[in-house]
Amino acid sequence: MAKYQAPKGVSEYFPPRSNDFEHVMRALMNPALAAGYEPIELPVFEDTELFTRGVGESTDVVSKEMYTFEDRGGRSITLRPEGTAGVMRAVIEHNLDRGQLPVKVFYKGPFFRAERPQAGRYRQFYQFGIEAIGVNDPYLDAEVIAIGYSGYKALGLTNFSLHITSLGDRESREKHRTSLVSFIDRLSLDDETRARAAKNPLRLFDDKRPEIQKLMTDAPLLLDFLNDASRKNFEEVQSALTSIGIPFEINARMVRGLDYYTGTTFEFVHHGLGAQSGIGGGGRYDGLMETLGGQNLSGVGFALGIDRILLALDVEKVSVSKNSYTDLYVIALGDEARKNSFALVQKLRSAGFVVEQSFGERGLKGAMKAADKSGARFSVVIGDTEISSGSVELKNMATGEAVSVTLSALATTLAEKSK
Ligand code: AMP
């Protein structure tokens, strides 16, 4: 066993799997770029209060799962458990909301939650997320959903569903809350559950215990309390999705794990992942910016779970990337050849080819083995003879076929053969 191991429950990606990781990130980013979202890079730690205020104290994320510590200046710091609160903090702090609206940004990177580790649930995990801040428009909700959906589709995922619901506007939520609270008052609940419900009664829909699920069977549903404006808004989101061929199911019992959501909320659920089936989710958050000390502007966004998307691709047997992609492997034998080929390799790389070269004095056999392993499409061996004749044998690694090429024509020949 290695002397040092990674901390318990973190996800790590190293070759060849890390190539898939990059590929997934890029595939998810493309639809966001195509819709004019711009990158935002933020710290992985923030003041603890940003999350307690922003994400909400009734959530598991805040009450049980935060990595919180005191820094050397005695400040309470938390490793970010999610991305939206940090984006909002940055938007307010840097006045991004004083320019063109909506502010449209995307982020990616590691997030931290002290959860019980299991397949698809890690203590450090990766998300790709987008936020569109400052405009409340059902078509913007639909755009955000469509960007996530397009990413999954581009990757080749098929066995997943989109669940949507609406938490309505404040008036609708307050009416529902009154009814739900009096329903919950009549249930016999343990103290802890009751305390949770007092903070956010919707949380009981999310309780995994079968006895609570059963008690909640007849609970009043928010969708039945939407006022006309909220209903119309939700219908517009639905017809916008339908107009671009995105299938969805309405799931009135869906509760997201973060407290800030209002209006449209959604989740992408994969059918091959067992208990950890959520591969992404998001929604609209009307009050978050004001709660965090900014203007009263609405926002909408999502976060997609990279780790689970990789697992979903495995389950669906979709192969996403060839491992690293190398055009040419150059084997140089002898001092003179090593000197010459080192410069040649740089030139070919500048010309746009992916080129690897052999290192160490391992002889032809060992170098050929390395060339094989690299997955390169072509190889050349350069020794003293090749340097003096100025030509090499360009070998096709798949067929074994070799053609004689002058060193000066190597780039053009490679380009031709790569067509
Ligand atoms: P959330 O921020 O809770 O809405 O989560 C958004 C997505 O991130 C989920 O749908 C998951 O795919 C992923 N995710 C959340 N928590 C974890 C975790 N602990 N481990 C792996 N993926 C996670």
Side-chain angles (χ1 to χ4, degrees), residues 61 81-82 113 115 120-123 125-127 256-258 261 267-268 278-282 303-308:
V61 169
E82 61 90 58
R113 295 182 193 172
E115 310 205 60
R121 186 172 288 281
Y122 310 108
R123 292 180 171 172
F125 57 98
Y126 293 85
Q127 289 186 337
R256 308 270 310 121
L258 315 169
Y261 287 112
E267 230 162 48
F268 293 99
I279 51 172
L304 313 182
I306 307 303
D307 314 270
R308 291 196 198 160

Side-chain angles (χ1 to χ4, degrees), residues 46 48-56 62 66 78 80-82 85:
E46 298 267 6
T48 301
E49 199 183 320
L50 179 70
F51 301 115
T52 48
R53 295 291 311 273
V55 177
V62 166
M66 293 209 299
T78 293
R80 62 181 185 187
E82 61 90 58

Side-chain angles (χ1 to χ4, degrees), residues 107-302:
Y107 61 82
K108 55 188 165 42
F111 292 84
F112 308 86
R113 295 182 193 172
E115 310 205 60
R116 196 167 59 77
Q118 51 195 292
R121 186 172 288 281
Y122 310 108
R123 292 180 171 172
Q124 174 172 331
F125 57 98
Y126 293 85
Q127 289 186 337
F128 170 79
I130 70 171
E131 312 289 352
I133 298 152
V135 178
N136 192 351
D137 181 334
Y139 284 96
L140 189 55
D141 298 14
E143 172 176 287
V144 164
I145 294 174
I147 288 169
Y149 183 84
S150 309
Y152 296 129
K153 281 290 180 190
L155 283 168
L157 288 177
T158 55
N159 192 18
F160 69 93
S161 306
L162 164 62
H163 291 185
I164 64 171
T165 190
S166 172
L167 301 178
D169 59 10
R170 180 168 305 200
E171 184 190 77
S172 310
R173 278 196 304 282
E174 277 172 7
K175 259 170 75 196
H176 171 251
R177 191 184 168 108
T178 310
S179 161
L180 182 60
V181 165
S182 76
F183 175 86
I184 290 173
D185 278 346
R186 280 178 265 129
L187 302 178
S188 93
L189 296 171
D190 59 88
D191 291 348
E192 198 190 325
T193 311
R194 196 166 288 290
R196 233 174 137 226
K199 283 187 188 145
N200 180 355
L202 289 176
R203 287 270 149 256
L204 292 204
F205 283 111
D206 204 19
D207 200 306
K208 298 285 177 292
R209 290 169 296 178
E211 62 275 20
I212 304 287
Q213 292 276 316
K214 200 160 158 229
L215 287 174
M216 291 298 283
T217 314
D218 296 323
L221 300 174
L222 217 166
L223 270 192
D224 298 326
F225 285 75
L226 295 188
N227 59 18
D228 287 348
S230 293
R231 187 167 322 111
K232 180 163 170 278
N233 183 289
F234 189 39
E235 279 163 5
E236 277 175 343
V237 174
Q238 293 175 56
S239 61
L241 292 174
T242 305
S243 75
I244 52 172
I246 296 184
F248 57 86
E249 292 164 34
I250 294 178
N251 178 355
R253 291 175 172 269
M254 178 172 75
V255 181
R256 308 270 310 121
L258 315 169
D259 268 354
Y260 48 62
Y261 287 112
T262 60
T264 311
T265 51
F266 56 92
E267 230 162 48
F268 293 99
V269 177
H270 195 271
H271 305 300
L273 291 183
Q276 313 308 323
S277 59
I279 51 172
R284 187 161 277 286
Y285 40 89
D286 283 340
L288 181 60
M289 191 168 198
E290 206 178 14
T291 304
L292 297 179
Q295 316 184 59
N296 183 14
L297 289 179
S298 175
V300 59
F302 67 54

Side-chain angles (χ1 to χ4, degrees), residues 60-105:
D60 280 356
V61 169
V62 166
S63 63
K64 300 184 192 155
E65 298 172 354
M66 293 209 299
Y67 281 101
T68 298
F69 58 95
E70 206 171 88
D71 74 1
R72 286 167 191 269
R75 289 168 287 259
S76 179
I77 293 292
T78 293
L79 299 184
R80 62 181 185 187
E82 61 90 58
T84 305
V87 169
M88 227 25 154
R89 193 267 309 143
V91 166
I92 299 168
E93 183 176 346
H94 305 298
N95 294 318
L96 303 185
D97 55 328
R98 307 286 165 179
Q100 168 94 341
L101 297 178
V103 177
K104 297 193 295 186
V105 290

